[in-house]
């Protein structure tokens, strides 16, 4: 299952956090956390919990076999439990339903993927901030409907990118990632699984607001990255040439070209987000106590949305960190004092 | 331009707040607010501001003519300014660009539409809360993958609807609605237009995080409404018949039928949301200082997303407020104490 | 219900064919056609059919009242039948279910909307063909990843637009528009309603392939229009300025600007299509003999998708028909013979 | 890069045809075909073509390294060419641009994936046809808006599934899969690469109608599969229990349950399609001679759309092939003769 697109579409640290192995580890982390919680509650012994936890290491299992086994009940949690039970003679998965494991794993995978994703989003924002500061009063023509309009400064353009990225990061930080341990039909009082996830008021097996909010916030982050990337691509046009990626790529057929590969790839990644968000929002309409299909339709889009957004952020960061500004080409006459003041305002509000 | 679907798809108070006339009034409100702000700043006289404000009443204008005139510059703001200038001899629209008017109007329209929308969303949540309280320990079979599983209570089911709707409403309240007054290329310091909207740090002509967040929050609200509606539809099945809408509708061909029209219509409205959210998120990728197309692609989807979500909330409210519970059919044996305690927990957290 | 966006977003002849009144007429056309078919079959008398047909004129009814009445059974067909029955003492709607009327009306509305839509699509293709012929060997630099690459001809660029538009039109012509007359649960042998629609093999109340194919074909048409519009917008950039819309629009704040309003608006319309297609495809998953919500979620997106695609085609036609080419700015050295031969090839294949 | 969801979400034969290795082989197949075509044209020698073709075996290369190398120019074609050149001393990729390789590979991957996909779609249709024939006059209650309405036959229900699946398969067979060999800016006369793909009139580097049509047809196929799957899920409800998957799955927490895992999984796969279609349609808006991002945004969604649709078809086939009908529970009184005649009609039209 190699990925020939990895270098372009699975860029940065997110891919490793949403891989099959990462999902498997998260499923095992749920089982270990559950065992520990039950030991704390006295339902199982400390020794049993330790034995279970010791067996909850993804390297001990064949992820492909788990994947194949997922067909049996329609999700991989059952196969994980069976594999675990084969290794350890202790009451595994006690009281839990497969969706408890899957939902908690989805949140753990997300939590872990958000670390590199937010790092790249903030890294890109920092690079934009540096550009904003450095080019605070660098005049550049403002363009509306792609026509030259009135002057602004390149610093303000970059401050806009920064603001968009900062706000998107803030939105992602507000997302409510919660564990799940509601039992077969979601009637158990949610347990603190001590996995760094919120303990929800109610089991949320079919209350998917969390997934929907997460999807929306990721879509916004992809959009903010896409906006900056598009500007870079347009400013890099041969006829404009006001910026240039230092590490720009070549071409198999035209060695004279200097393509803004990072910004182009960022755009290519960001454009995959809206459709995936739509899938996740449509999947919120889940029936009764466990959904027959809508739930299953979340796993892949969530994984891919994290990957696409993370890759967009990482590529954009590369683009902005290596962006060379051609001050001479940018130069335009006119008063840019107001624009410069806005740069200050944006940097102060950071 | 009558709407033969209005009764189903433009239900509740939102439609009136997003109509052509409402948009026109919001565009005029921008011009009046701008004039007032300029009078405060001494740029125009108080008399001029008063004259402009007096002319800013949508009933004075032919909205269809404005609509036709929108073709000239590609948005209706120019036609509004021209019509206003024909009525009042004062410096209208001073310093503003058409997008300032359009974006502020979009936010005003949204702010006004959110009033009935949130009222219905909360009304539906209240109805769910009442059901949760009333049926706290009413046993009902829990269903997973649409198979009967273990018992829960109808109160917990309703508490789930309530929680989903409450959280969706909270998400909508967090949305950052801001005015826009950045001038031709967005270099002006944002002005407090005193329209009950946030004053942004920077002009956001092409920083569309606000629209993206709003879209996501509306998508979540539609999803939360859709979830409850789907449950009602499924519980209303002839073979299940555990609930029944008191006001259920008939059929042109089968008078014996009792259709859960409100829940069905809520679902029909909610299902329109995800695609519209995708359009708005895709539109975040806007170039330079004013986008050539992506901006234009927001107006209709935003209007329709508010309408669809508002209609879903209103229909759901009707459904839940008129829901009759057949306790006898619901009855199932088994311990439902844990479920009842969760109902208490959810109601306390409200 | 005026539309302040009409001039931009409801451009060309489609809007009139998908209006509330047009839907109402289509619903009435179904009732008239059904009555005639029943008279042919001897189920009702010729006089009754004539009386019904005479009453099937939308101008005789209050579309707003019909719209409000749609709330009763969750679609406007019932309200239409009631209004018709109030006017004519004859067996109206005999044997039909409301979805028979709605689905046939949807197909009629589509058939009628496709006339101006295809006319504009083909008109735009014709304009592109003229440009291709006129500028067959006009050298222009080819641009890949928005970097200048190798020479091509403007004629080949235009031939590409033409081909994309022609193929999209062909796709729309292949769409299978069928009438619907299956009765309450779709068990009646489909009747030829003589409305210029295909008679289906089976009633298709919940077999929505037709809607899905139509949606896909409209999405492709919008995409083909968007591609050409984007090229025009980019070629119109101040820094490129190789083409210019003769009728280009101004700006409320910058009178010196010459915006490619037609191409920009075409893009703004085209970008609304993909999300609407997704909604219609998601709505294909319809349960049993009549769907509780998915069906209802089709009407508005279908109407809006026809409008958006039709407006995109109309705007693009305007853009291409008024496009001025600046041969001097386009000029680039290099061999363009191969490109010119491709133009011939494309024109021959037309 | 193992996939813990494979058993559910990458079901059937499609996954192997769209894997990283399959893409790599398709990229190599392009290079081999190009070399052969050039040898036929006398541009390179037969020996060179043979040497190149011999090296075009994916097993000779490290797909992960190719994937990583894709970052350099923003797509894997360059890395493939470099790896190939390292193995064989002959003029590789002559005259081609990386998009020629990528687009042809995308079409090859699709062509190969459609074999198992269509086989499963037709297999599911065949299973539906058998059910239709067997249960031609088996009475079952028709359900509209999920309420019991009038009788129909289970055979007609199955005939509807069959028709929807057959039409979807026919739609996929109409899709125009073409090779690509247009050179750097698409000015070369398309070459017949003898790969079983259509030779296009023009290079289609930025004319993406083919991708759009393919996306639409896949979306329709997913929708047709989803419709049948939803019916099975609903008919399998404990309260209805008119059908039952023989191979139905269990539950980690409730061993007494008999879940319709195949139909549930089919639904879970089908629901992922519409969002991916939207992404591919949005990506049709590609600028100039090679798109900066929109093109890149196609690869993953296309791969995933093929996988999701193929998995849905495969699961549905399993579901329908193992469907047990409970004639006693289905039984309902009333005339079902018309329904039975429709079954005949549908089977005859096959």
């Amino acid at each position: 299952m190699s990925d020939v697109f990895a270098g372009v579409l699975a860029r940065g640290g997110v891919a490793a956090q949403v891989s099959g192995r990462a999902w498997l580890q998260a499923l095992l982390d749920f089982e270990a956390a559950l065992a520990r919680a039950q030991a704390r509650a006295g339902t199982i012994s400390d020794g049993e919990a330790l034995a279970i936890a010791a067996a909850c290491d993804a390297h001990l299992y064949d992820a492909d076999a788990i994947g194949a086994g997922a067909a049996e009940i329609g999700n991989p949690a059952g196969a994980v439990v069976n594999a675990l039970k084969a290794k350890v003679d202790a009451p595994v998965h006690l009281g839990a339903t497969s969706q408890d494991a899957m939902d908690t794993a989805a949140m753990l995978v997300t939590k872990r993927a958000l670390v590199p994703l937010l790092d790249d989003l903030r890294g890109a924002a920092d690079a934009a901030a540096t550009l904003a500061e450095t080019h605070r009063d660098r005049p550049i023509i403002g363009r509306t409907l792609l026509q030259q309009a009135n002057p602004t400064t390149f610093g303000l353009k970059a401050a806009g990118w920064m603001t968009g990225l900062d706000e998107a990061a803030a939105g992602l930080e507000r997302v409510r990632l919660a564990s799940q341990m509601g039992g077969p039909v979601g009637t158990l009082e949610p347990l603190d699984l001590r996995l760094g996830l919120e303990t929800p008021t109610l089991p949320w097996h079919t209350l998917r607001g969390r997934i929907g909010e997460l999807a929306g916030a990721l879509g916004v982050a992809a959009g903010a990255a896409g906006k900056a990337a598009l500007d870079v691509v347009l400013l890099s046009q041969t006829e404009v040439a006001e910026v240039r990626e230092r590490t720009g790529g070549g071409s198999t057929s035209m060695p004279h070209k200097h393509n803004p590969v990072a910004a182009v790839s960022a755009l290519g990644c960001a454009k995959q987000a809206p459709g995936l968000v739509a899938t996740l929002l449509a999947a919120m309409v889940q029936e009764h106590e466990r959904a027959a299909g809508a739930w299953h339709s979340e796993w892949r889009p969530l994984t891919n949305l994290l990957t696409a957004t993370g890759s967009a952020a990482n590529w954009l960061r590369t683009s902005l960190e290596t962006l060379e500004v051609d001050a001479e080409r940018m130069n335009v006459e006119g008063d840019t004092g107001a624009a410069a003041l806005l740069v200050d305002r944006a940097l102060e509000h950071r």
Side-chain angles (χ1 to χ4, degrees), chain A:
Chain A
M1 290 269 307
S2 50
D3 176 6
V4 291
F5 302 112
V8 192
L9 304 180
R11 179 93 175 170
V14 171
Q17 302 301 334
V18 302
S19 70
R21 189 152 296 281
W23 269 94
L24 175 54
Q25 186 57 59
L27 285 163
L28 290 164
D29 289 342
F30 167 81
E31 302 297 344
L34 175 61
R36 276 188 221 103
Q38 284 164 328
R40 284 195 300 276
T43 326
I44 71 174
S45 73
D46 283 352
E48 288 172 325
L50 279 169
I52 291 172
C56 287
D57 177 342
H59 295 93
L60 301 175
Y61 302 90
D62 177 351
D64 286 324
I66 301 281
E72 206 176 327
I73 62 165
N75 71 64
V80 167
V81 169
N82 289 341
L84 193 49
K85 282 182 175 166
K87 274 223 180 347
V88 58
D89 183 26
V92 166
H93 196 66
L94 204 67
T97 190
S98 58
Q99 190 168 5
D100 290 329
M102 290 298 297
D103 282 354
T104 302
M107 293 290 101
L108 272 181
V109 160
T110 298
K111 184 182 161 74
R112 291 163 185 173
L114 285 180
V115 175
L117 194 159
L118 281 167
D119 186 57
D120 279 332
L121 215 49
R122 284 201 209 93
D126 288 346
T130 302
L131 290 168
E133 236 174 329
T134 310
H135 302 282
R136 175 184 180 276
D137 356 65
R138 170 91 54 217
I140 187 176
I141 190 70
R143 294 170 177 97
T144 58
L145 309 184
L146 283 167
Q147 298 296 301
Q148 291 196 358
N150 290 350
T152 180
T153 73
F154 181 62
L156 180 52
K157 223 173 169 85
W161 303 338
M162 175 194 80
T163 302
L165 295 164
D166 277 343
E167 291 176 354
L172 278 167
E173 278 162 355
R174 273 195 304 272
V175 165
R176 306 168 298 132
L177 302 178
S179 59
Q180 181 79 284
M181 179 53 215
V185 292
T187 53
L188 303 184
E189 184 179 349
L191 210 54
D192 182 357
L193 292 175
R194 303 200 182 167
L195 285 165
L197 300 168
E198 190 181 310
T199 303
T201 306
L202 292 186
W204 48 281
H205 291 142
T206 51
L207 303 172
R208 310 306 274 181
R210 281 176 177 79
I211 306 282
E213 289 172 24
L214 169 62
L218 286 166
V220 167
K227 188 272 180 287
L230 179 57
D231 280 355
V232 170
V233 168
L234 291 171
L235 293 173
S236 300
Q237 288 176 100
T238 312
E239 297 84 357
V240 179
E242 294 174 352
V243 305
R244 174 185 163 106
E245 286 181 3
R246 197 161 46 244
T247 55
S251 151
T252 61
S253 56
M254 294 166 286
H256 65 281
K257 284 189 62 190
H258 183 88
N259 297 318
V261 170
V264 165
S265 299
L267 257 183
C269 294
K271 281 170 180 280
Q272 297 173 55
L276 296 167
V277 175
T279 305
L280 290 169
L281 288 173
M284 282 187 65
V285 181
Q286 303 204 349
E287 64 273 17
H288 292 325
E289 279 68 43
R290 171 138 49 267
W295 170 44
H296 307 70
S297 75
E298 292 174 352
W299 310 324
R300 194 77 95 201
L302 176 58
T303 299
N304 290 338
L305 180 55
L306 286 164
T307 306
T309 307
S311 300
N314 183 276
W315 274 118
L316 179 65
R317 180 183 195 165
T318 298
S319 176
L320 297 186
E321 286 180 351
T322 69
L323 207 66
E324 295 177 342
V325 169
D326 189 328
E328 221 161 295
R329 285 196 66 105
M330 255 182 207
N331 204 17
V332 63
E333 271 177 54
D335 184 13
T336 55
L341 288 174
L342 280 181
V343 176
D344 299 342
R345 181 178 162 104
L347 288 169
E348 273 160 34
H349 273 76
R350 243 208 137 180

